[in-house]
Amino acid sequence: MKYYAEYLSDAGTIAVDDTLLVKGAQAAAGSRILEGFKPLFSAEAVDRLEAEGYVISGKTHVGEFGLDLVGEFSYYAEKEENLKGAAAEAVADGAAEAALAVDMNGAARRAAAISGVDFLKPTYGTVSRHGIISCAASGEQVGVYAKGAEGVAKIMNVIAGHDEKDGTSLKKEYSFAADEAVTGKRVCIIKELVEKADEEVKAKIAAYAEALKKCGVEVEEVSFDICDAANTTWQILMTAETCNNVSRYDGVKYGHRASGYKNIDELYVKTRTEGFNFLTKSVILYGSDVLSKHRYDDCYGKGLKVRRVVADRFAELMEKYDAALMPATSKMSYEAYDISKAFETVFKESVFTSIANLIGVPALVSGGVQLMGKQFDENVLLSIAGCVEKEGE
């Protein structure tokens, strides 16, 4: 099966991306460094699905640690000219009813937009992160792919909820629905992000805005000039956290181990040289730099302060509006490119997705565009998207 790093069951209806653990199945996060690693337990979200009778179809390909655009730099997947996300495509093609994925740097949302399916990155702490291969713990979140907002809500009702095993899990009860009234809701279009997109994406935003109006939603264009700063901030924090988290992969306990080493230092160097791709190495180097003694205050420390500024600015915006409409990508298709250009390429595309990771608010991709809202306002986003989807039937 082209979508899967490991196919598990013909009876399966739920795909799980390769950054979530499934007991007994290889969990490699698209990286050679974790080749052969098979966990002894499953992620909490997987356990909750199986407890409700769902069957996991398999582990879908992801780009190494979710750092690329949509999964193009997986060690295990065949290279394609037209880049698409495996989990998103599995749902779009009907190979899976829904899929779980970890949204760490926007790859899942970009994949959903390109494949024409829905993906919800919920409020940070809503779904347990226990059993994921973590990179950027302060912003990554388990989310759901489905063909429509109702399908997303259905799976979210199963996997959301407090988990004592996850220190970031919130003690809160959840109920998700995509059929609440949206008449009179107010949605703002983020001008600065629309301007960064190509004409096809701009047309999708305009068409979505018109569909919103038919649902009785008020739509206005606004300026939110902190988007670039938010993206830079998240890239600083994300690379720093990733650098710290992947340092555990050394070839000693599990995963890939280089051969022909003479001492422990040489084992570490050879294993990581062979095990990590160029993009991951770039992220590690950048993360090491921003965490260094002479750069910490100016980069990482300041990034934590800017995170609060962005959160406050977005909260102010959401006092006037119920959701923000923006692109999820700069264009509706990606072509293969050289990995040496990946760090810069992903940085530029992440401007559309980084705010939600940085400040922990929910973001929903539907109809090729993105809606972002206040914390715990997933039902507003799902219901707005649900109305538009029904208008288009």
mmCIF file of all heavy atoms in Angstrom, residues 20-57:
data_model
loop_
_atom_site.group_PDB
_atom_site.id
_atom_site.type_symbol
_atom_site.label_atom_id
_atom_site.label_comp_id
_atom_site.label_asym_id
_atom_site.label_seq_id
_atom_site.Cartn_x
_atom_site.Cartn_y
_atom_site.Cartn_z
ATOM 1 N N LEU A 20 3.109 8.483 15.600
ATOM 2 C CA LEU A 20 2.344 7.947 16.731
ATOM 3 C C LEU A 20 2.658 6.463 16.886
ATOM 4 O O LEU A 20 2.771 5.730 15.906
ATOM 5 C CB LEU A 20 0.842 8.125 16.518
ATOM 6 C CG LEU A 20 0.314 9.551 16.634
ATOM 7 C CD1 LEU A 20 0.008 10.109 15.265
ATOM 8 C CD2 LEU A 20 -0.935 9.582 17.499
ATOM 9 N N LEU A 21 2.759 6.026 18.133
ATOM 10 C CA LEU A 21 3.106 4.638 18.400
ATOM 11 C C LEU A 21 1.889 3.728 18.269
ATOM 12 O O LEU A 21 0.800 4.059 18.732
ATOM 13 C CB LEU A 21 3.678 4.489 19.814
ATOM 14 C CG LEU A 21 4.862 5.373 20.207
ATOM 15 C CD1 LEU A 21 5.381 4.958 21.591
ATOM 16 C CD2 LEU A 21 5.972 5.327 19.174
ATOM 17 N N VAL A 22 2.093 2.591 17.629
ATOM 18 C CA VAL A 22 1.136 1.487 17.611
ATOM 19 C C VAL A 22 1.905 0.251 18.066
ATOM 20 O O VAL A 22 2.929 -0.111 17.469
ATOM 21 C CB VAL A 22 0.533 1.270 16.210
ATOM 22 C CG1 VAL A 22 -0.344 0.031 16.211
ATOM 23 C CG2 VAL A 22 -0.267 2.481 15.769
ATOM 24 N N LYS A 23 1.439 -0.374 19.115
ATOM 25 C CA LYS A 23 2.146 -1.489 19.733
ATOM 26 C C LYS A 23 2.536 -2.550 18.707
ATOM 27 O O LYS A 23 1.703 -3.039 17.943
ATOM 28 C CB LYS A 23 1.272 -2.122 20.822
ATOM 29 C CG LYS A 23 1.940 -3.256 21.575
ATOM 30 C CD LYS A 23 1.020 -3.802 22.657
ATOM 31 C CE LYS A 23 1.655 -4.952 23.407
ATOM 32 N NZ LYS A 23 0.764 -5.480 24.474
ATOM 33 N N GLY A 24 3.827 -2.874 18.657
ATOM 34 C CA GLY A 24 4.319 -3.936 17.798
ATOM 35 C C GLY A 24 4.607 -3.538 16.376
ATOM 36 O O GLY A 24 5.169 -4.328 15.614
ATOM 37 N N ALA A 25 4.230 -2.312 15.971
ATOM 38 C CA ALA A 25 4.481 -1.845 14.603
ATOM 39 C C ALA A 25 5.644 -0.863 14.614
ATOM 40 O O ALA A 25 5.776 -0.054 15.538
ATOM 41 C CB ALA A 25 3.236 -1.173 14.035
ATOM 42 N N GLN A 26 6.488 -0.944 13.585
ATOM 43 C CA GLN A 26 7.626 -0.024 13.543
ATOM 44 C C GLN A 26 7.159 1.419 13.660
ATOM 45 O O GLN A 26 6.216 1.842 12.999
ATOM 46 C CB GLN A 26 8.417 -0.200 12.249
ATOM 47 C CG GLN A 26 9.568 0.800 12.122
ATOM 48 C CD GLN A 26 10.464 0.557 10.930
ATOM 49 O OE1 GLN A 26 11.309 -0.332 10.959
ATOM 50 N NE2 GLN A 26 10.283 1.347 9.872
ATOM 51 N N ALA A 27 7.825 2.180 14.517
ATOM 52 C CA ALA A 27 7.554 3.600 14.678
ATOM 53 C C ALA A 27 8.855 4.337 14.425
ATOM 54 O O ALA A 27 9.738 4.360 15.284
ATOM 55 C CB ALA A 27 7.027 3.903 16.079
ATOM 56 N N ALA A 28 8.987 4.919 13.233
ATOM 57 C CA ALA A 28 10.271 5.493 12.839
ATOM 58 C C ALA A 28 10.210 6.983 12.555
ATOM 59 O O ALA A 28 11.242 7.601 12.304
ATOM 60 C CB ALA A 28 10.803 4.763 11.600
ATOM 61 N N ALA A 29 9.017 7.581 12.549
ATOM 62 C CA ALA A 29 8.857 9.003 12.246
ATOM 63 C C ALA A 29 9.544 9.378 10.937
ATOM 64 O O ALA A 29 10.071 10.480 10.789
ATOM 65 C CB ALA A 29 9.391 9.861 13.391
ATOM 66 N N GLY A 30 9.523 8.458 9.989
ATOM 67 C CA GLY A 30 10.101 8.726 8.681
ATOM 68 C C GLY A 30 11.607 8.782 8.647
ATOM 69 O O GLY A 30 12.198 9.156 7.627
ATOM 70 N N SER A 31 12.273 8.392 9.738
ATOM 71 C CA SER A 31 13.718 8.558 9.855
ATOM 72 C C SER A 31 14.447 7.228 9.918
ATOM 73 O O SER A 31 14.000 6.290 10.578
ATOM 74 C CB SER A 31 14.050 9.366 11.111
ATOM 75 O OG SER A 31 15.449 9.496 11.269
ATOM 76 N N ARG A 32 15.611 7.175 9.281
ATOM 77 C CA ARG A 32 16.443 5.977 9.354
ATOM 78 C C ARG A 32 16.956 5.751 10.778
ATOM 79 O O ARG A 32 17.194 4.613 11.179
ATOM 80 C CB ARG A 32 17.635 6.108 8.403
ATOM 81 C CG ARG A 32 18.475 4.852 8.301
ATOM 82 C CD ARG A 32 19.707 5.060 7.439
ATOM 83 N NE ARG A 32 20.447 3.815 7.275
ATOM 84 C CZ ARG A 32 21.652 3.732 6.728
ATOM 85 N NH1 ARG A 32 22.253 4.837 6.279
ATOM 86 N NH2 ARG A 32 22.245 2.566 6.625
ATOM 87 N N ILE A 33 17.104 6.816 11.555
ATOM 88 C CA ILE A 33 17.666 6.707 12.893
ATOM 89 C C ILE A 33 16.824 5.807 13.799
ATOM 90 O O ILE A 33 17.321 5.224 14.761
ATOM 91 C CB ILE A 33 17.825 8.105 13.532
ATOM 92 C CG1 ILE A 33 18.833 8.085 14.700
ATOM 93 C CG2 ILE A 33 16.499 8.656 14.026
ATOM 94 C CD1 ILE A 33 20.247 8.144 14.288
ATOM 95 N N LEU A 34 15.508 5.661 13.479
ATOM 96 C CA LEU A 34 14.619 4.826 14.277
ATOM 97 C C LEU A 34 14.222 3.535 13.558
ATOM 98 O O LEU A 34 13.268 2.871 13.956
ATOM 99 C CB LEU A 34 13.360 5.614 14.665
ATOM 100 C CG LEU A 34 13.572 6.653 15.769
ATOM 101 C CD1 LEU A 34 12.346 7.540 15.917
ATOM 102 C CD2 LEU A 34 13.902 5.978 17.088
ATOM 103 N N GLU A 35 14.956 3.185 12.545
ATOM 104 C CA GLU A 35 14.651 1.972 11.780
ATOM 105 C C GLU A 35 14.634 0.749 12.685
ATOM 106 O O GLU A 35 15.554 0.521 13.473
ATOM 107 C CB GLU A 35 15.692 1.788 10.681
ATOM 108 C CG GLU A 35 15.385 0.660 9.714
ATOM 109 C CD GLU A 35 16.374 0.632 8.569
ATOM 110 O OE1 GLU A 35 17.465 1.203 8.710
ATOM 111 O OE2 GLU A 35 16.040 0.029 7.531
ATOM 112 N N GLY A 36 13.531 -0.006 12.606
ATOM 113 C CA GLY A 36 13.416 -1.239 13.375
ATOM 114 C C GLY A 36 12.856 -1.077 14.770
ATOM 115 O O GLY A 36 12.591 -2.076 15.445
ATOM 116 N N PHE A 37 12.629 0.160 15.224
ATOM 117 C CA PHE A 37 12.095 0.368 16.571
ATOM 118 C C PHE A 37 10.616 0.002 16.611
ATOM 119 O O PHE A 37 9.807 0.542 15.867
ATOM 120 C CB PHE A 37 12.277 1.824 17.006
ATOM 121 C CG PHE A 37 11.523 2.179 18.256
ATOM 122 C CD1 PHE A 37 11.787 1.527 19.450
ATOM 123 C CD2 PHE A 37 10.528 3.145 18.240
ATOM 124 C CE1 PHE A 37 11.085 1.836 20.608
ATOM 125 C CE2 PHE A 37 9.821 3.465 19.379
ATOM 126 C CZ PHE A 37 10.099 2.807 20.569
ATOM 127 N N LYS A 38 10.257 -0.937 17.492
ATOM 128 C CA LYS A 38 8.866 -1.346 17.665
ATOM 129 C C LYS A 38 8.467 -1.157 19.125
ATOM 130 O O LYS A 38 9.020 -1.810 20.009
ATOM 131 C CB LYS A 38 8.669 -2.807 17.233
ATOM 132 C CG LYS A 38 8.895 -3.024 15.741
ATOM 133 C CD LYS A 38 8.586 -4.455 15.325
ATOM 134 C CE LYS A 38 8.769 -4.633 13.819
ATOM 135 N NZ LYS A 38 8.425 -5.999 13.373
ATOM 136 N N PRO A 39 7.528 -0.262 19.396
ATOM 137 C CA PRO A 39 7.169 0.057 20.772
ATOM 138 C C PRO A 39 6.379 -1.058 21.439
ATOM 139 O O PRO A 39 5.723 -1.866 20.776
ATOM 140 C CB PRO A 39 6.314 1.317 20.627
ATOM 141 C CG PRO A 39 5.701 1.178 19.269
ATOM 142 C CD PRO A 39 6.763 0.537 18.415
ATOM 143 N N LEU A 40 6.406 -1.054 22.765
ATOM 144 C CA LEU A 40 5.689 -2.043 23.564
ATOM 145 C C LEU A 40 4.306 -1.562 23.964
ATOM 146 O O LEU A 40 3.569 -2.278 24.652
ATOM 147 C CB LEU A 40 6.497 -2.384 24.817
ATOM 148 C CG LEU A 40 7.894 -2.967 24.568
ATOM 149 C CD1 LEU A 40 8.616 -3.200 25.888
ATOM 150 C CD2 LEU A 40 7.812 -4.258 23.765
ATOM 151 N N PHE A 41 3.953 -0.358 23.570
ATOM 152 C CA PHE A 41 2.629 0.193 23.882
ATOM 153 C C PHE A 41 2.215 1.129 22.764
ATOM 154 O O PHE A 41 3.038 1.541 21.933
ATOM 155 C CB PHE A 41 2.643 0.927 25.228
ATOM 156 C CG PHE A 41 3.548 2.127 25.255
ATOM 157 C CD1 PHE A 41 3.067 3.398 24.949
ATOM 158 C CD2 PHE A 41 4.891 1.993 25.586
ATOM 159 C CE1 PHE A 41 3.904 4.505 24.967
ATOM 160 C CE2 PHE A 41 5.731 3.104 25.610
ATOM 161 C CZ PHE A 41 5.237 4.353 25.296
ATOM 162 N N SER A 42 0.927 1.466 22.734
ATOM 163 C CA SER A 42 0.387 2.379 21.728
ATOM 164 C C SER A 42 0.164 3.766 22.316
ATOM 165 O O SER A 42 0.050 3.932 23.531
ATOM 166 C CB SER A 42 -0.950 1.851 21.182
ATOM 167 O OG SER A 42 -0.777 0.645 20.469
ATOM 168 N N ALA A 43 0.075 4.745 21.445
ATOM 169 C CA ALA A 43 -0.279 6.092 21.857
ATOM 170 C C ALA A 43 -1.667 6.084 22.500
ATOM 171 O O ALA A 43 -2.523 5.257 22.153
ATOM 172 C CB ALA A 43 -0.261 7.040 20.662
ATOM 173 N N GLU A 44 -1.900 6.999 23.428
ATOM 174 C CA GLU A 44 -3.188 7.072 24.108
ATOM 175 C C GLU A 44 -4.330 7.256 23.118
ATOM 176 O O GLU A 44 -5.392 6.642 23.265
ATOM 177 C CB GLU A 44 -3.172 8.230 25.113
ATOM 178 C CG GLU A 44 -4.495 8.480 25.820
ATOM 179 C CD GLU A 44 -4.919 7.366 26.752
ATOM 180 O OE1 GLU A 44 -4.067 6.517 27.097
ATOM 181 O OE2 GLU A 44 -6.105 7.342 27.153
ATOM 182 N N ALA A 45 -4.145 8.090 22.098
ATOM 183 C CA ALA A 45 -5.201 8.315 21.112
ATOM 184 C C ALA A 45 -5.538 7.028 20.366
ATOM 185 O O ALA A 45 -6.706 6.756 20.064
ATOM 186 C CB ALA A 45 -4.780 9.406 20.124
ATOM 187 N N VAL A 46 -4.527 6.218 20.084
ATOM 188 C CA VAL A 46 -4.744 4.930 19.419
ATOM 189 C C VAL A 46 -5.497 3.980 20.353
ATOM 190 O O VAL A 46 -6.454 3.306 19.933
ATOM 191 C CB VAL A 46 -3.399 4.319 18.981
ATOM 192 C CG1 VAL A 46 -3.595 2.897 18.458
ATOM 193 C CG2 VAL A 46 -2.735 5.188 17.918
ATOM 194 N N ASP A 47 -5.098 3.928 21.604
ATOM 195 C CA ASP A 47 -5.786 3.066 22.579
ATOM 196 C C ASP A 47 -7.267 3.434 22.681
ATOM 197 O O ASP A 47 -8.133 2.548 22.766
ATOM 198 C CB ASP A 47 -5.137 3.204 23.955
ATOM 199 C CG ASP A 47 -3.857 2.391 24.088
ATOM 200 O OD1 ASP A 47 -3.666 1.463 23.278
ATOM 201 O OD2 ASP A 47 -3.058 2.696 24.988
ATOM 202 N N ARG A 48 -7.558 4.721 22.696
ATOM 203 C CA ARG A 48 -8.958 5.145 22.831
ATOM 204 C C ARG A 48 -9.785 4.751 21.615
ATOM 205 O O ARG A 48 -10.943 4.358 21.738
ATOM 206 C CB ARG A 48 -9.014 6.661 23.062
ATOM 207 C CG ARG A 48 -8.436 7.072 24.399
ATOM 208 C CD ARG A 48 -8.683 8.535 24.730
ATOM 209 N NE ARG A 48 -8.061 8.866 26.014
ATOM 210 C CZ ARG A 48 -8.354 9.940 26.732
ATOM 211 N NH1 ARG A 48 -9.257 10.816 26.303
ATOM 212 N NH2 ARG A 48 -7.740 10.172 27.880
ATOM 213 N N LEU A 49 -9.189 4.849 20.430
ATOM 214 C CA LEU A 49 -9.899 4.428 19.223
ATOM 215 C C LEU A 49 -10.159 2.924 19.244
ATOM 216 O O LEU A 49 -11.271 2.467 18.945
ATOM 217 C CB LEU A 49 -9.093 4.815 17.982
ATOM 218 C CG LEU A 49 -9.118 6.286 17.587
ATOM 219 C CD1 LEU A 49 -8.058 6.573 16.538
ATOM 220 C CD2 LEU A 49 -10.493 6.685 17.061
ATOM 221 N N GLU A 50 -9.150 2.153 19.591
ATOM 222 C CA GLU A 50 -9.312 0.698 19.608
ATOM 223 C C GLU A 50 -10.305 0.263 20.680
ATOM 224 O O GLU A 50 -11.048 -0.717 20.480
ATOM 225 C CB GLU A 50 -7.950 0.041 19.813
ATOM 226 C CG GLU A 50 -7.030 0.212 18.612
ATOM 227 C CD GLU A 50 -5.688 -0.470 18.765
ATOM 228 O OE1 GLU A 50 -5.226 -0.619 19.925
ATOM 229 O OE2 GLU A 50 -5.086 -0.846 17.732
ATOM 230 N N ALA A 51 -10.357 1.008 21.785
ATOM 231 C CA ALA A 51 -11.327 0.680 22.839
ATOM 232 C C ALA A 51 -12.759 0.880 22.369
ATOM 233 O O ALA A 51 -13.687 0.245 22.881
ATOM 234 C CB ALA A 51 -11.061 1.544 24.072
ATOM 235 N N GLU A 52 -12.944 1.744 21.378
ATOM 236 C CA GLU A 52 -14.272 1.990 20.813
ATOM 237 C C GLU A 52 -14.570 1.110 19.609
ATOM 238 O O GLU A 52 -15.586 1.302 18.926
ATOM 239 C CB GLU A 52 -14.402 3.465 20.420
ATOM 240 C CG GLU A 52 -14.444 4.416 21.601
ATOM 241 C CD GLU A 52 -15.672 4.204 22.461
ATOM 242 O OE1 GLU A 52 -16.772 4.039 21.894
ATOM 243 O OE2 GLU A 52 -15.534 4.176 23.705
ATOM 244 N N GLY A 53 -13.684 0.178 19.298
ATOM 245 C CA GLY A 53 -13.925 -0.773 18.221
ATOM 246 C C GLY A 53 -13.305 -0.416 16.883
ATOM 247 O O GLY A 53 -13.456 -1.160 15.912
ATOM 248 N N TYR A 54 -12.608 0.692 16.811
ATOM 249 C CA TYR A 54 -11.930 1.046 15.563
ATOM 250 C C TYR A 54 -10.705 0.161 15.367
ATOM 251 O O TYR A 54 -10.052 -0.247 16.333
ATOM 252 C CB TYR A 54 -11.500 2.510 15.575
ATOM 253 C CG TYR A 54 -12.640 3.502 15.482
ATOM 254 C CD1 TYR A 54 -13.202 4.050 16.630
ATOM 255 C CD2 TYR A 54 -13.138 3.890 14.251
ATOM 256 C CE1 TYR A 54 -14.245 4.962 16.557
ATOM 257 C CE2 TYR A 54 -14.177 4.809 14.154
ATOM 258 C CZ TYR A 54 -14.727 5.339 15.310
ATOM 259 O OH TYR A 54 -15.764 6.243 15.228
ATOM 260 N N VAL A 55 -10.383 -0.088 14.100
ATOM 261 C CA VAL A 55 -9.218 -0.905 13.761
ATOM 262 C C VAL A 55 -8.235 -0.043 12.992
ATOM 263 O O VAL A 55 -8.617 0.680 12.065
ATOM 264 C CB VAL A 55 -9.629 -2.130 12.916
ATOM 265 C CG1 VAL A 55 -8.393 -2.934 12.511
ATOM 266 C CG2 VAL A 55 -10.601 -3.008 13.696
ATOM 267 N N ILE A 56 -6.968 -0.115 13.370
ATOM 268 C CA ILE A 56 -5.924 0.665 12.702
ATOM 269 C C ILE A 56 -5.509 -0.045 11.413
ATOM 270 O O ILE A 56 -5.122 -1.218 11.435
ATOM 271 C CB ILE A 56 -4.701 0.851 13.621
ATOM 272 C CG1 ILE A 56 -5.122 1.465 14.964
ATOM 273 C CG2 ILE A 56 -3.649 1.705 12.929
ATOM 274 C CD1 ILE A 56 -5.832 2.793 14.853
ATOM 275 N N SER A 57 -5.591 0.673 10.308
ATOM 276 C CA SER A 57 -5.230 0.075 9.017
ATOM 277 C C SER A 57 -3.725 0.019 8.816
ATOM 278 O O SER A 57 -3.200 -0.897 8.178
ATOM 279 C CB SER A 57 -5.873 0.857 7.868
ATOM 280 O OG SER A 57 -5.456 2.215 7.896
#
